[in-house]
DNA sequence: ACCTGAACACCGTTCAAGT
DNA sequence: ACCTGAACACCGTTCAAGT
C-alpha cells in the first residue's frame, strides 16, 4: 500500500495561506482563525506564515481580499439597473457562502485592488444612471453600505432565527405598542425575496439621484 | 497628608463593568477590551467579573446594550420623517462617540431590551408612514441597516482618510476608467452633510413603501 | 531563501480556597 | 455571597539557529 498522504508538499504561498484561513473561518468561525491554526492546517510552523503576511491583521486583510475575489464582474453590456442588481446578488451569495468572514468587509478599510475592482463597477453604473460626477462617491458609499450591510445582517445572526416579536409576549402594550401590533398580524419573518426587494429600493435611490440634475 | 486614593471602593456592579469596558474600547480599541484589562481598571481580579457577566462574549453583548442605551428616544409628537431623522442623527452621534465599540451593533444579534426599544421607534414611524403591517419588518430591517451601516462605515476607517481615488494614479485608464474620471474632477471626499443626505434618501424609501398600498 | 524551535508576554477560564 | 490566587491551555510575536 502507498505511503500515507502528505498533503503539505505544495509550496507555501500567500494564496494557500488565505485559502486555509477562509476554510477555517467557514468551518469553525472567525475566532478559530489563528496564526497557529492556519499554520497547522498547512503542516507548517506558525512563523513560516510571516514571510507572506505581515502579521495577524495582515492575515485578516488578506481574507477580505480573498472574499472580494469571489465576487464576479457582471456582464457590462447589461443596463445599469441589471448590473447593480447582479452585483448585489452575487455579493449576497458570497456573504452566504462565507458568513463568518464576510463582516470583515464592513469593518476593515477597502483599499485593496479587489475593492477597487468592485467599486469601479458601481461607479460606472452610477455614471450611466446620470448621477453627477460630484455626487458619485457619496452615492457609491450609500449603495455599497446598503448592499454590504444588508448581506451581512442577513447572513449573520442579526436577523436571527428568533423573530424580533416572538419575545414580545413579555412586552407590555403601553411600552411597546408597535411590537404588540405586529405580533398579532401573521408574523412574516425574513423571506428569501427580501434581499431582492431591498436591492430594488437601492436602484430606486440611484435613479432618483440620477434624475435630480439631468431631467 | 491623607492616605493615597483608593478608587475602587464602589461596589462591583454590571454597570460599572460595562462602563470600564466601554472606556477601554474608546481609549485603546476593541482589542484592548480583555477580561484582565477591565478587571485591572476596576481594581479587581479577572474572576470577579464572572459574577456579573457570563463570559467574554457576554461582556461584548453587554457593551452593545450599553451603547444602545445612549441612543435617546426622539420626541414622539414629531411627524414620522422628523422622528426617523432625529433617531438617525443620534445613532450617528453615538457611533462617532464610540467608533471602536459601535461595529458590534451590526455584528451581534439585536435581542436585548435596548434593541427592542429602538426598533419600537422605527416600527411606529413606519406605521405612521402608511407602510402595510406585513411590510413593516422588512422595511425596518432595510432602514436600520442603512442607518447602522452608514454610521459604522463613516466612523470606522472604511471611508478612510485616503480617498479611494487618491491611489488611482497607479490605475490604468482601460482597466478602471470610472476611477480615473473621478480622479480628474474636483475630488470631493466625505462631507459632514453626507450622512444627512443619506438619511433623506432613507426617508424617501420609507415614503415610497408607504405609498405603494395607501394611495 | 525559507523554515524551525524555544522563549516571552500575553489571553480566557477552571478550580479550590479564603473571608 | 463575593472575591482571590494559582494553574491550564491557549494566543501573537521575538529572536537565534538550522538547512
Amino acid at each position: 500500500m502507498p505511503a500515507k498522504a502528505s498533503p503539505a508538499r505544495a509550496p507555501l504561498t500567500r494564496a494557500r495561506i488565505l485559502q486555509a484561513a477562509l476554510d477555517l473561518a467557514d468551518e469553525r468561525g472567525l475566532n478559530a482563525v489563528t496564526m497557529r491554526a492556519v499554520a497547522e492546517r498547512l503542516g507548517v510552523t506558525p512563523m513560516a506564515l510571516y514571510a507572506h503576511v505581515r502579521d495577524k491583521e495582515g492575515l485578516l486583510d488578506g481574507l477580505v481580499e480573498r472574499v472580494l475575489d469571489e465576487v464576479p464582474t457582471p456582464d457590462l453590456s447589461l443596463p445599469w439597473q441589471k448590473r447593480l442588481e447582479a452585483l448585489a446578488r452575487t455579493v449576497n451569495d458570497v456573504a452566504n457562502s462565507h458568513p463568518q468572514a464576510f463582516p470583515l468587509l464592513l469593518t476593515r478599510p477597502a483599499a485593496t485592488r479587489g475593492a477597487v475592482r468592485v467599486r469601479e463597477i458601481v461607479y460606472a453604473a452610477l455614471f450611466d444612471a446620470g448621477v453627477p460626477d460630484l455626487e458619485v462617491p457619496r452615492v457609491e458609499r450609500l449603495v455599497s453600505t446598503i448592499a454590504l450591510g444588508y448581506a451581512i445582517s442577513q447572513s449573520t445572526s442579526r436577523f436571527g432565527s428568533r423573530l424580533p416579536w416572538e419575545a414580545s409576549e413579555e412586552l407590555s402594550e403601553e411600552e411597546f405598542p408597535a411590537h404588540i401590533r405586529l405580533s398579532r398580524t401573521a408574523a412574516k419573518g425574513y423571506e428569501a425575496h427580501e434581499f431582492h426587494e431591498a436591492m430594488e429600493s437601492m436602484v430606486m435611490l440611484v435613479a432618483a439621484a440620477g434624475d435630480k440634475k439631468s431631467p
Side-chain angles (χ1 to χ4, degrees), chain A:
Chain A
M1 38 196 163
K4 80 171 169 188
S6 45
R9 275 290 70 88
L12 188 57
T13 165
R14 182 177 164 89
R16 288 188 64 227
I17 291 173
L18 298 183
Q19 182 63 50
L22 183 56
D23 291 343
L24 225 32
D26 290 342
E27 293 166 19
R28 307 206 271 119
L30 208 51
N31 286 340
V33 180
T34 71
M35 300 296 279
R36 292 173 120 105
V38 170
E40 189 184 17
R41 180 173 275 251
L42 295 168
V44 104
T45 256
M47 285 316 299
L49 305 180
Y50 285 80
H52 305 88
V53 146
R54 180 183 297 274
D55 54 9
K56 175 82 184 286
E57 296 286 291
L59 179 71
L60 295 179
D61 287 338
L63 211 46
V64 170
E65 202 181 302
R66 175 57 242 269
V67 168
L68 273 174
D69 282 348
E70 281 194 17
V71 177
T73 299
D75 182 348
L76 296 179
S77 68
L78 292 169
W80 66 264
Q81 295 93 334
K82 296 290 180 190
R83 251 178 294 152
L84 279 188
E85 280 171 12
L87 184 64
R89 194 171 353 97
T90 56
V91 163
N92 197 40
D93 291 343
V94 173
N96 284 319
S97 302
H98 309 292
Q100 298 288 336
F102 202 81
L104 289 174
L105 290 202
L106 205 64
T107 285
R108 305 185 87 78
T112 69
R113 189 176 184 82
V116 173
R117 193 195 103 241
V118 173
R119 193 168 48 231
E120 174 76 16
I121 300 166
V122 179
Y123 279 170
L126 298 185
F127 285 149
D128 293 349
V131 178
D133 285 27
L134 280 175
E135 299 265 308
V136 162
R138 170 180 89 72
V139 178
E140 186 276 331
R141 287 189 275 267
L142 179 59
V143 161
S144 296
T145 295
I146 294 177
L148 282 185
Y150 212 83
I152 289 171
S153 297
Q154 180 194 346
S155 65
T156 66
S157 48
R158 215 174 76 80
F159 302 165
S161 43
R162 280 199 324 185
L163 301 180
W165 53 89
E166 267 183 12
S168 65
E169 325 220 8
E170 313 141 18
L171 302 179
S172 74
E173 171 142 20
E174 341 163 19
E175 219 178 344
F176 304 108
H179 276 77
I180 299 295
R181 172 168 162 186
L182 277 181
S183 71
R184 293 208 187 102
T185 73
K188 197 178 73 162
Y190 179 86
E191 303 280 347
H193 65 265
E194 183 169 331
F195 185 81
H196 178 70
E197 294 183 38
M199 293 310 108
E200 275 184 349
S201 297
M202 183 196 77
V203 167
M204 197 186 83
L205 279 189
V206 172
D211 284 344
K212 241 195 287 185
K213 279 241 173 167
S214 67

